[in-house]
Amino acid sequence: MKRVWCTLVVVLLTCCWMILPASAVERTGLPLVVDETGVLSQQELDTLNVKAEEIEEEYHCDVVVAYINTLNGVNVMDYADDYFDYNGYGYGSSHDGILLLVAAEEREYWMTCTGKGMEYFDRYTRDNLEYNFQPYLAQGDWYNAAGSFLVGAETVLYQQTQPASVSPVMILVDLALGFLLSWIPLGVMKADLHPVTKGVEASQYIAKNGVQMSDSKDIFLRSVRRVHPIERERRDSGDSSTHVSSSGTTHTGSGGKF
């Protein structure tokens, strides 16, 4: 009997292990926010990791921040891709996630995406994330840079994963409002119209005393100014488009300097 219970326990533990998400099984032990440079206090690091873990649990997507000392001569894109892949990041079998890698010595950063992360975080979205965290990096505010990235990524995931639903009641309300808003100005314009009799002779449309031009002059009515935006030179190192990393995983990403 004891042997039967032991067997059942082993089977249950095995089943629990098998149903764990791939990210939990393959993770090498590194947290979602890593600081190899020592620029964050332990309290700051713990706070950021709690936030990153909440995002992972809620949206099933890894949002990772890694502060490293140096790239050691490696291209920042390749370094970020390999850091993501070989440290077991990425949620589920499709390795959904995004990583922000920041190299302190070279003052470079790169965002790399895999799985659904490539769909959620396109170039436009990454530009918006960069717009928020890059000034913090330039000021040496490492904590708020990471926090801004996490919060921005969470907002994107929320917008991408929430189903769009429209209530039938709201549709009827919109139609009624549209009808009223279009009927009111038409009613006002109709009230201003005065009925006239139909004329059958051309003389009825000619002023009795004719048209007298007492004065004439040119009047300046308006001017037109056309504004063409000046393209701003980007300070980043470009967009990687879609490519395959050394581990065989498909990535996309972009980055720059600070």
Side-chain angles (χ1 to χ4, degrees), residues 188-222:
V188 173
M189 288 187 290
K190 183 178 179 180
D192 290 337
L193 297 176
H194 301 286
V196 295
T197 58
K198 182 178 180 181
V200 294
E201 297 181 2
S203 59
Q204 293 181 257
Y205 298 95
I206 301 176
K208 294 181 179 180
N209 299 323
V211 179
Q212 302 295 325
M213 301 294 293
S214 59
D215 191 14
S216 65
K217 55 181 151 181
D218 294 330
I219 301 175
F220 180 76
L221 296 178
R222 61 182 176 271

Short mmCIF file of all heavy atoms in Angstrom, two decimals, residues 188-222:
data_model
loop_
_atom_site.label_atom_id
_atom_site.label_comp_id
_atom_site.label_asym_id
_atom_site.label_seq_id
_atom_site.Cartn_x
_atom_site.Cartn_y
_atom_site.Cartn_z
N VAL A 188 -32.27 73.85 -38.70
CA VAL A 188 -31.96 75.28 -38.58
C VAL A 188 -31.82 75.92 -39.94
O VAL A 188 -32.35 77.02 -40.20
CB VAL A 188 -30.67 75.47 -37.74
CG1 VAL A 188 -30.24 76.93 -37.75
CG2 VAL A 188 -30.89 74.98 -36.31
N MET A 189 -31.13 75.27 -40.85
CA MET A 189 -30.95 75.82 -42.19
C MET A 189 -32.28 75.90 -42.93
O MET A 189 -32.55 76.85 -43.67
CB MET A 189 -29.95 74.97 -42.97
CG MET A 189 -28.50 75.11 -42.49
SD MET A 189 -27.32 74.27 -43.54
CE MET A 189 -27.72 72.56 -43.18
N LYS A 190 -33.15 74.89 -42.74
CA LYS A 190 -34.44 74.90 -43.40
C LYS A 190 -35.31 76.05 -42.90
O LYS A 190 -36.06 76.67 -43.66
CB LYS A 190 -35.14 73.57 -43.17
CG LYS A 190 -36.47 73.46 -43.88
CD LYS A 190 -37.11 72.09 -43.65
CE LYS A 190 -38.47 72.02 -44.37
NZ LYS A 190 -39.12 70.69 -44.15
N ALA A 191 -35.23 76.35 -41.60
CA ALA A 191 -36.04 77.43 -41.02
C ALA A 191 -35.64 78.79 -41.59
O ALA A 191 -36.46 79.72 -41.62
CB ALA A 191 -35.91 77.42 -39.51
N ASP A 192 -34.37 78.92 -42.00
CA ASP A 192 -33.90 80.20 -42.53
C ASP A 192 -34.35 80.43 -43.96
O ASP A 192 -34.20 81.53 -44.50
CB ASP A 192 -32.37 80.27 -42.45
CG ASP A 192 -31.90 80.38 -41.00
OD1 ASP A 192 -32.70 80.83 -40.16
OD2 ASP A 192 -30.74 80.02 -40.73
N LEU A 193 -34.87 79.41 -44.63
CA LEU A 193 -35.27 79.55 -46.02
C LEU A 193 -36.65 80.21 -46.09
O LEU A 193 -37.56 79.88 -45.31
CB LEU A 193 -35.32 78.18 -46.71
CG LEU A 193 -33.98 77.43 -46.82
CD1 LEU A 193 -34.21 76.06 -47.45
CD2 LEU A 193 -32.99 78.24 -47.65
N HIS A 194 -36.83 81.14 -47.04
CA HIS A 194 -38.10 81.84 -47.22
C HIS A 194 -38.70 81.42 -48.57
O HIS A 194 -38.01 81.50 -49.60
CB HIS A 194 -37.90 83.35 -47.19
CG HIS A 194 -37.29 83.83 -45.90
ND1 HIS A 194 -37.99 83.89 -44.71
CD2 HIS A 194 -36.02 84.23 -45.62
CE1 HIS A 194 -37.20 84.33 -43.76
NE2 HIS A 194 -35.99 84.54 -44.27
N PRO A 195 -39.95 81.01 -48.60
CA PRO A 195 -40.56 80.59 -49.87
C PRO A 195 -40.65 81.76 -50.84
O PRO A 195 -40.96 82.89 -50.46
CB PRO A 195 -41.94 80.09 -49.44
CG PRO A 195 -42.22 80.77 -48.14
CD PRO A 195 -40.89 80.93 -47.47
N VAL A 196 -40.41 81.50 -52.11
CA VAL A 196 -40.49 82.52 -53.16
C VAL A 196 -41.39 82.00 -54.27
O VAL A 196 -41.58 80.78 -54.42
CB VAL A 196 -39.10 82.87 -53.71
CG1 VAL A 196 -38.25 83.51 -52.63
CG2 VAL A 196 -38.41 81.63 -54.26
N THR A 197 -41.90 82.94 -55.06
CA THR A 197 -42.74 82.54 -56.19
C THR A 197 -41.87 82.23 -57.39
O THR A 197 -40.76 82.76 -57.54
CB THR A 197 -43.72 83.66 -56.54
OG1 THR A 197 -42.99 84.85 -56.83
CG2 THR A 197 -44.68 83.92 -55.38
N LYS A 198 -42.39 81.38 -58.24
CA LYS A 198 -41.65 80.97 -59.41
C LYS A 198 -41.73 82.05 -60.48
O LYS A 198 -42.81 82.55 -60.80
CB LYS A 198 -42.24 79.66 -59.94
CG LYS A 198 -41.50 79.10 -61.14
CD LYS A 198 -42.13 77.77 -61.56
CE LYS A 198 -41.39 77.21 -62.76
NZ LYS A 198 -41.99 75.92 -63.19
N GLY A 199 -40.57 82.43 -60.99
CA GLY A 199 -40.55 83.46 -62.03
C GLY A 199 -40.58 82.84 -63.41
O GLY A 199 -39.99 81.79 -63.65
N VAL A 200 -41.28 83.49 -64.33
CA VAL A 200 -41.39 82.95 -65.70
C VAL A 200 -40.71 83.86 -66.72
O VAL A 200 -40.51 83.48 -67.87
CB VAL A 200 -42.88 82.75 -66.08
CG1 VAL A 200 -43.49 81.66 -65.21
CG2 VAL A 200 -43.66 84.06 -65.97
N GLU A 201 -40.37 85.10 -66.32
CA GLU A 201 -39.72 86.04 -67.23
C GLU A 201 -38.37 86.44 -66.67
O GLU A 201 -38.21 86.59 -65.46
CB GLU A 201 -40.58 87.28 -67.43
CG GLU A 201 -41.93 86.97 -68.09
CD GLU A 201 -42.75 88.24 -68.29
OE1 GLU A 201 -42.21 89.32 -67.93
OE2 GLU A 201 -43.87 88.16 -68.78
N ALA A 202 -37.41 86.66 -67.57
CA ALA A 202 -36.06 87.02 -67.16
C ALA A 202 -36.01 88.37 -66.48
O ALA A 202 -35.16 88.63 -65.63
CB ALA A 202 -35.13 87.00 -68.37
N SER A 203 -36.96 89.27 -66.82
CA SER A 203 -36.95 90.61 -66.25
C SER A 203 -37.19 90.61 -64.75
O SER A 203 -36.81 91.54 -64.05
CB SER A 203 -38.02 91.48 -66.94
OG SER A 203 -39.31 90.89 -66.76
N GLN A 204 -37.81 89.53 -64.27
CA GLN A 204 -38.08 89.45 -62.84
C GLN A 204 -36.79 89.29 -62.02
O GLN A 204 -36.77 89.54 -60.83
CB GLN A 204 -39.03 88.28 -62.54
CG GLN A 204 -40.43 88.48 -63.10
CD GLN A 204 -41.33 87.31 -62.75
OE1 GLN A 204 -41.58 86.47 -63.59
NE2 GLN A 204 -41.81 87.28 -61.53
N TYR A 205 -35.74 88.81 -62.67
CA TYR A 205 -34.48 88.55 -61.97
C TYR A 205 -33.49 89.70 -62.13
O TYR A 205 -32.33 89.60 -61.71
CB TYR A 205 -33.84 87.25 -62.49
CG TYR A 205 -34.71 86.04 -62.25
CD1 TYR A 205 -35.57 85.57 -63.22
CD2 TYR A 205 -34.67 85.37 -61.01
CE1 TYR A 205 -36.38 84.47 -63.00
CE2 TYR A 205 -35.47 84.27 -60.77
CZ TYR A 205 -36.33 83.81 -61.77
OH TYR A 205 -37.11 82.72 -61.54
N ILE A 206 -33.92 90.80 -62.73
CA ILE A 206 -33.04 91.93 -62.93
C ILE A 206 -33.44 93.04 -61.96
O ILE A 206 -34.63 93.33 -61.80
CB ILE A 206 -33.12 92.46 -64.39
CG1 ILE A 206 -32.74 91.34 -65.38
CG2 ILE A 206 -32.23 93.68 -64.57
CD1 ILE A 206 -32.89 91.75 -66.83
N ALA A 207 -32.46 93.64 -61.29
CA ALA A 207 -32.76 94.73 -60.36
C ALA A 207 -33.44 95.88 -61.10
O ALA A 207 -33.11 96.18 -62.25
CB ALA A 207 -31.47 95.21 -59.69
N LYS A 208 -34.37 96.52 -60.41
CA LYS A 208 -35.17 97.56 -61.05
C LYS A 208 -34.32 98.70 -61.57
O LYS A 208 -34.55 99.24 -62.65
CB LYS A 208 -36.20 98.10 -60.06
CG LYS A 208 -37.26 97.07 -59.68
CD LYS A 208 -38.28 97.66 -58.74
CE LYS A 208 -39.35 96.65 -58.38
NZ LYS A 208 -40.37 97.21 -57.45
N ASN A 209 -33.35 99.16 -60.80
CA ASN A 209 -32.51 100.30 -61.18
C ASN A 209 -31.19 99.87 -61.79
O ASN A 209 -30.26 100.66 -61.92
CB ASN A 209 -32.26 101.19 -59.98
CG ASN A 209 -33.55 101.77 -59.42
OD1 ASN A 209 -34.46 102.10 -60.19
ND2 ASN A 209 -33.63 101.88 -58.09
N GLY A 210 -31.09 98.56 -62.09
CA GLY A 210 -29.84 98.06 -62.64
C GLY A 210 -28.79 97.91 -61.56
O GLY A 210 -29.04 98.13 -60.37
N VAL A 211 -27.61 97.57 -61.97
CA VAL A 211 -26.49 97.37 -61.05
C VAL A 211 -25.55 98.56 -61.20
O VAL A 211 -25.00 98.80 -62.28
CB VAL A 211 -25.75 96.06 -61.33
CG1 VAL A 211 -24.58 95.90 -60.38
CG2 VAL A 211 -26.71 94.88 -61.22
N GLN A 212 -25.38 99.33 -60.11
CA GLN A 212 -24.53 100.51 -60.15
C GLN A 212 -23.24 100.23 -59.40
O GLN A 212 -23.26 99.88 -58.22
CB GLN A 212 -25.26 101.70 -59.50
CG GLN A 212 -26.58 102.04 -60.13
CD GLN A 212 -26.42 102.52 -61.55
OE1 GLN A 212 -25.43 103.19 -61.88
NE2 GLN A 212 -27.41 102.22 -62.40
N MET A 213 -22.10 100.31 -60.09
CA MET A 213 -20.78 100.10 -59.47
C MET A 213 -20.24 101.46 -59.05
O MET A 213 -19.73 102.22 -59.85
CB MET A 213 -19.83 99.43 -60.47
CG MET A 213 -20.32 98.08 -60.98
SD MET A 213 -20.37 96.83 -59.67
CE MET A 213 -18.64 96.65 -59.36
N SER A 214 -20.42 101.81 -57.77
CA SER A 214 -19.97 103.11 -57.29
C SER A 214 -18.48 103.13 -56.98
O SER A 214 -17.85 104.17 -57.04
CB SER A 214 -20.76 103.49 -56.03
OG SER A 214 -20.57 102.51 -55.02
N ASP A 215 -17.94 101.97 -56.65
CA ASP A 215 -16.52 101.93 -56.27
C ASP A 215 -16.01 100.52 -56.49
O ASP A 215 -16.77 99.54 -56.43
CB ASP A 215 -16.35 102.32 -54.80
CG ASP A 215 -14.88 102.56 -54.45
OD1 ASP A 215 -14.07 102.69 -55.38
OD2 ASP A 215 -14.57 102.61 -53.24
N SER A 216 -14.74 100.39 -56.75
CA SER A 216 -14.13 99.07 -56.91
C SER A 216 -12.72 99.11 -56.36
O SER A 216 -12.03 100.12 -56.47
CB SER A 216 -14.12 98.65 -58.39
OG SER A 216 -13.29 99.50 -59.14
N LYS A 217 -12.30 97.99 -55.75
CA LYS A 217 -10.94 97.90 -55.23
C LYS A 217 -10.59 96.43 -54.99
O LYS A 217 -11.46 95.57 -54.88
CB LYS A 217 -10.81 98.67 -53.93
CG LYS A 217 -11.79 98.28 -52.85
CD LYS A 217 -11.58 99.13 -51.62
CE LYS A 217 -12.87 99.31 -50.85
NZ LYS A 217 -12.69 100.14 -49.66
N ASP A 218 -9.31 96.20 -54.92
CA ASP A 218 -8.81 94.85 -54.63
C ASP A 218 -8.70 94.68 -53.12
O ASP A 218 -8.13 95.52 -52.43
CB ASP A 218 -7.44 94.62 -55.28
CG ASP A 218 -7.54 94.62 -56.81
OD1 ASP A 218 -8.62 94.23 -57.30
OD2 ASP A 218 -6.57 95.01 -57.47
N ILE A 219 -9.24 93.59 -52.61
CA ILE A 219 -9.19 93.31 -51.17
C ILE A 219 -8.43 92.00 -50.95
O ILE A 219 -8.76 90.98 -51.56
CB ILE A 219 -10.61 93.19 -50.58
CG1 ILE A 219 -11.38 94.49 -50.81
CG2 ILE A 219 -10.55 92.84 -49.09
CD1 ILE A 219 -12.83 94.42 -50.35
N PHE A 220 -7.40 92.06 -50.11
CA PHE A 220 -6.63 90.86 -49.77
C PHE A 220 -7.46 89.98 -48.82
O PHE A 220 -7.87 90.43 -47.75
CB PHE A 220 -5.31 91.25 -49.10
CG PHE A 220 -4.46 90.06 -48.70
CD1 PHE A 220 -3.74 89.36 -49.66
CD2 PHE A 220 -4.41 89.65 -47.38
CE1 PHE A 220 -2.97 88.28 -49.29
CE2 PHE A 220 -3.65 88.57 -47.02
CZ PHE A 220 -2.92 87.88 -47.97
N LEU A 221 -7.74 88.77 -49.24
CA LEU A 221 -8.59 87.90 -48.45
C LEU A 221 -7.82 86.99 -47.51
O LEU A 221 -8.10 86.92 -46.32
CB LEU A 221 -9.46 87.03 -49.38
CG LEU A 221 -10.47 87.81 -50.24
CD1 LEU A 221 -11.23 86.86 -51.14
CD2 LEU A 221 -11.43 88.60 -49.36
N ARG A 222 -6.84 86.28 -47.99
CA ARG A 222 -6.12 85.32 -47.14
C ARG A 222 -4.79 84.95 -47.79
O ARG A 222 -4.57 85.21 -48.97
CB ARG A 222 -6.96 84.06 -46.94
CG ARG A 222 -7.28 83.33 -48.23
CD ARG A 222 -8.15 82.10 -47.97
NE ARG A 222 -8.53 81.46 -49.23
CZ ARG A 222 -9.60 81.77 -49.94
NH1 ARG A 222 -10.39 82.75 -49.51
NH2 ARG A 222 -9.88 81.14 -51.06
#
